[in-house]
Amino acid sequence: LLVVIADIHERRGALVERVVALTRVASINTSAALAFQDAPGAEEILAALGSERDVVGIRIQGLDEVPFARYRSPDPRHRALQERIALDERREHETAGEHRTPGNEPSARFLPGYLDVCLDVRVNGKPLGHMELQYDTADLTQRIWLQSWMALVVFMGGLGLAFMLASRLHRL
């Protein structure tokens, strides 16, 4: 059980590191577009970064919280997740106390079905805006369930074998 829990923690940490790195790349590549107010250029860059199959969406907004550029995955399997993300964003916007502002370091949080990473877009240390990237966690969830079931099967098999050996030894 401890091995399964440790592995789940490690897999989640590795996914966060990977998605934060992708968000940093997106932030660096779109900073010039944000500085020069080139929204079509930023959206082109986001679409290229969005070619990663599990990227559900990327959003950039200025410091004034006005949307600047956005990418939404065209993959049909992401439609329901995109609707859930839009609902989560509306709820977060309505609840002023829960709004996140990124800062120098990225913030990452697991929400049902996706990982949300938030980061400042900066040029020479000066913040120009904020970026949010949502990443589908269905593969991670599937692997965790598979590993949990396998651990349960191994445990039950060991328990059955122990019971069988104990009953045989009891007869001797």
Side-chain angles (χ1 to χ4, degrees), residues 99-115:
H99 184 70
R100 300 184 305 153
T101 44
N104 286 333
E105 291 301 312
S107 65
R109 62 183 177 169
F110 283 93
L111 295 166
Y114 66 100
L115 173 62

Side-chain angles (χ1 to χ4, degrees), residues 3 11 57:
V3 172
R11 285 179 190 264

